[in-house]
């Protein structure tokens, strides 16, 4: 069975050596001293390693089952959920007035990585609840917040987000679910929603669905969509659960992965619902939380890569296979361990350098969300909005790829369920699809985010890279980081210039290069993270850090990324510069 150990030391390095969070002026950050964050992360590490990780295989093998209209979760999930609730983990970064601990989002993100690495399917129950509660927090009336949030923050009641219908996924303007006003402030919701993660289960007393629907007579398309609170059980004004609402489970989806999460078809038959936010402004309410939700999914890509890598390293060190071509390394055994072989090292270094760079990227993104929410920093909000499709799309693509590489380390045993490696790959696959498929993320990046506010935010990113390189140009210890970063940034700027010069004449020139641009941008972001981590590591070594091996290993890993992974920017630029002609040349009939 696979194991998981929370990477607490690496998280502490990023939080305190690189991001220096306790020195930030973001409200709440001054309390995040190293001892405090270590205590939180260590407790989360124990829970995820000892309780949730052992249930990951159980959830995969058992799945959820629907019997007589009731959804049952896998063995052990209900008891583990009680432990999570008792520890206050479900409300870590939610407001105290609703029972949360009001910690910054960056702490919720660090802890969230541990939860997702240890058991992605399980963690989605509280993750979906957090998203639904955040939407109510942002758009609900005081009455709605007081009624729903305390029990959602504690996860006594869980939550879902209901967007997709059988005939429409990305194009939500096509939805058919109706919300008929009753004249008393309530609506009757009718329709069918599919792919509803955590749609029903036996771990909470009630489930609060947030449902997108159209009010008859409203505008056509996406402009006519509204958002509604629709509980599984009706709740009176005193917060007491009453009669069953008109929502039932039609089926549990049979999926490639995340079997431990009950992904449901939900049927609404004149269910009572309550408008959240304004009429016909449902997508605005949903998109308020999109940066957080998509950053969370990007984190799932990292989380899957991390746990898969940990197990691949253990296997590579233990499995005896062949001899080192430069000389025997295990003379007392029949063969040397896999890890002596250069191609195994290449794969493991790809995984390690990705996971550590992605972790820095995710936590940096979380600090920008904190800055936007806690001190109304518009520049931070603009920059994280620009980077959100990169975080979501690039990290989930790469995270999935890294789970495949980890599986490959096992050879044939990686394809056998007994070793559990295929689950990481199967579970990671969904992160490339939900919260907006990655092709859509790329289109959003190139079609909307680059030009937002006159291109101010992408120019701010380039200035950030330029300033870092300029400030550290004379630091010989960072030469292996600064020079590749400058080259990669120039590739990114050249790609943006290509879009400006050619995209207006033929939009397909921009759109056919959007996926490559997202990956090019992602590599530059990880290159920037590695350069910043290298600076922090060299400063720690110069100050006489006691754990020299940790910082030296960090520098070695970073040099690998800069030399072997970052040059992919040139490939992506070449593809972008080739334009749309070869992409669009075939008639549909010739595919």
């Amino acid at each position: 069975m696979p194991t998981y150990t929370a990477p607490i030391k690496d998280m502490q390095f990023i939080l305190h050596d690189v991001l220096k969070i306790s020195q930030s002026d973001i409200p709440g950050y001054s309390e995040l001293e190293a001892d405090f964050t270590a205590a939180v992360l260590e407790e989360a590490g124990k829970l995820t390693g000892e309780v949730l990780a052992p249930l990951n295989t159980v959830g995969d093998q058992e799945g959820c089952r629907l019997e007589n209209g009731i959804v049952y979760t896998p063995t052990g999930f209900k008891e583990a959920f009680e432990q999570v609730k008792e520890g206050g983990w479900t409300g870590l970064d939610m407001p105290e007035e609703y029972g949360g601990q009001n910690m910054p989002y960056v702490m919720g993100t660090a802890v969230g990585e541990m939860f997702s690495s240890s058991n992605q399917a399980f963690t989605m129950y509280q993750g979906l609840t957090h998203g639904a509660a955040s939407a109510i927090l942002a758009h609900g009336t005081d009455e709605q917040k007081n009624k729903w949030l305390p029990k959602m923050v504690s996860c006594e009641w869980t939550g879902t987000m209901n967007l997709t219908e059988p005939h429409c996924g990305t194009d939500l303007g096509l939805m058919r679910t109706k919300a008929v006003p009753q004249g008393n402030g309530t609506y009757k919701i009718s329709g069918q929603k599919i792919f509803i993660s955590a749609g029903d289960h036996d771990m909470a007393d009630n489930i609060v669905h947030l449902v997108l629907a159209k009010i008859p007579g409203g505008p056509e398309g996406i402009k006519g969509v509204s958002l509604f609170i629709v509980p599984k059980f009706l709740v009176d004004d005193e917060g007491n659960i009453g009669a069953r609402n008109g929502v039932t489970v039609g089926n549990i989806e049979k999926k490639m992965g995340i079997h431990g999460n009950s992904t449901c078809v939900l049927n609404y038959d004149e269910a009572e619902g309550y408008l959240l936010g304004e009429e016909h402004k449902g997508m605005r309410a949903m998109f308020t939380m999109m940066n957080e939700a998509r950053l969370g999914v990007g984190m799932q890509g990292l989380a899957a890569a991390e746990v898969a890598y940990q197990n691949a390293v253990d296997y590579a060190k233990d499995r005896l296979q062949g001899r080192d071509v430069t000389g025997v390394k295990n003379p007392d055994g029949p063969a040397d361990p896999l890890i002596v072989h250069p191609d195994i090292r290449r794969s493991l270094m790809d995984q390690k350098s990705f996971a550590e760079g992605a972790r820095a990227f995710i936590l940096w993104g979380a600090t920008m969300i904190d800055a936007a929410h806690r001190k109304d920093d518009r520049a931070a909000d603009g920059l994280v909005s620009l980077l959100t499709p990169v975080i979501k799309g690039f990290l989930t693509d790469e995270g999935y790829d890294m789970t495949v590489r980890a599986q490959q380390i096992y050879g044939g045993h990686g394809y056998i369920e007994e070793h559990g490696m295929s689950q990481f790959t199967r579970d990671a696959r969904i992160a490339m699809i939900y919260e907006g498929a990655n092709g859509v993320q790329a289109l959003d990046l190139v079609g909307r985010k680059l030009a937002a506010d006159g291109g101010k935010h992408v120019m701010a990113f380039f200035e950030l890279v330029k300033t870092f390189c300029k400030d550290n140009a004379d630091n010989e210890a960072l030469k292996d980081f600064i020079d590749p970063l400058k080259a990669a940034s120039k590739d990114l700027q050249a790609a943006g210039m290509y879009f400006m010069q050619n995209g207006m004449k033929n939009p397909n020139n921009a759109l056919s290069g959007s996926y490559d641009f997202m990956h090019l941008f992602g590599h530059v972001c990880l290159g920037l993270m590695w350069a910043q981590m290298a600076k922090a590591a060299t400063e720690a070594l110069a100050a006489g850090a006691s754990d020299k091996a940790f910082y030296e290993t960090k520098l070695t890993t970073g040099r690998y990324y800069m030399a072997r992974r970052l040059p992919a920017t040139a490939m992506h630029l070449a593809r972008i510069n080739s334009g749309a002609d070869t992409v669009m040349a075939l008639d549909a009939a010739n595919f």
Side-chain angles (χ1 to χ4, degrees), residues 214-231:
K214 288 185 173 180
I215 300 171
E220 291 295 316
I222 200 68
K223 292 181 179 179
V225 173
S226 302
L227 184 62
F228 299 88
I229 298 171
V230 188

Side-chain angles (χ1 to χ4, degrees), residues 357-381:
R359 180 170 299 115
F361 189 21
I362 284 281
L363 292 174
W364 178 45
T367 64
M368 286 188 272
I369 287 177
D370 276 330
H373 289 179
R374 289 178 169 246
K375 62 177 231 178
D376 197 29
D377 186 331
R378 307 322 299 162
D381 186 54

Side-chain angles (χ1 to χ4, degrees), residues 20 66 119 158 163 182 197 202 204 225 238 260 278 286 312 324 332 383 434-435 447 451 494 497 504 524 541 549 568:
K20 303 183 188 300
L66 175 63
N119 198 323
T158 59
L163 289 78
Q182 300 301 295
S197 301
D202 59 351
V225 173
E238 283 72 48
E278 301 176 50
M286 280 289 192
D324 188 337
D332 297 329
L383 185 55
Y434 59 18
E435 284 297 339
M497 187 61 66
M504 293 297 290
V524 174
L541 288 169

Side-chain angles (χ1 to χ4, degrees), residues 322-466:
R323 288 295 190 188
D324 188 337
V325 295
T326 64
V328 173
K329 294 296 188 292
N330 181 32
D332 297 329
D336 290 331
L338 276 172
I339 202 164
V340 305
H341 303 299
D343 194 59
I344 298 294
R345 292 289 190 99
R346 172 200 58 79
S347 177
L348 291 174
M349 288 297 286
D350 280 351
Q351 296 166 53
K352 180 178 174 63
S353 63
F354 165 75
E356 293 178 16
R359 180 170 299 115
F361 189 21
I362 284 281
L363 292 174
W364 178 45
T367 64
M368 286 188 272
I369 287 177
D370 276 330
H373 289 179
R374 289 178 169 246
K375 62 177 231 178
D376 197 29
D377 186 331
R378 307 322 299 162
D381 186 54
L383 185 55
V384 78
S385 294
L386 167 71
L387 296 177
T388 291
V390 182
I391 291 171
K392 196 281 182 183
F394 177 69
L395 295 190
T396 57
D397 276 354
E398 290 286 297
Y400 173 79
D401 189 38
M402 295 307 159
T403 67
V404 173
R405 293 175 197 230
Q407 186 185 28
Q408 187 78 6
I409 298 292
Y410 282 69
H413 290 290
Y415 200 66
I416 303 299
E417 293 297 339
E418 175 187 350
H419 289 272
M421 294 303 288
S422 75
Q423 184 187 354
F424 299 134
T425 300
R426 289 185 285 104
D427 287 356
R429 185 66 182 87
I430 186 58
M432 302 162 71
I433 299 172
Y434 59 18
E435 284 297 339
N438 286 354
V440 177
Q441 300 296 329
L443 296 178
D444 178 47
L445 174 64
V446 171
R448 293 177 61 243
K449 297 298 176 61
L450 280 185
D453 296 326
K456 177 171 70 174
H457 306 300
V458 73
M459 295 308 296
F461 177 82
F462 287 137
E463 188 61 31
L464 193 68
V465 176
K466 179 181 176 182

Side-chain angles (χ1 to χ4, degrees), residues 468-480:
F468 181 87
C469 291
K470 184 178 179 181
D471 289 348
N472 295 281
D474 297 330
N475 189 337
E476 192 62 29
L478 295 182
K479 183 174 175 57
D480 293 342

Side-chain angles (χ1 to χ4, degrees), residues 472-524:
N472 295 281
D474 297 330
N475 189 337
E476 192 62 29
L478 295 182
K479 183 174 175 57
D480 293 342
F481 295 86
I482 300 300
D483 290 350
L485 178 58
K486 287 168 66 175
S489 182
K490 287 179 181 177
D491 287 342
L492 184 62
Q493 293 176 62
M497 187 61 66
Y498 174 85
F499 291 153
M500 287 179 60
Q501 294 172 344
N502 297 276
M504 293 297 290
K505 289 181 287 186
N506 180 5
N508 284 337
N509 281 326
L511 299 182
S512 64
S514 61
Y515 213 90
D516 280 286
F517 186 81
M518 181 176 73
H519 276 255
L520 199 169
F521 209 152
H523 277 296
V524 174

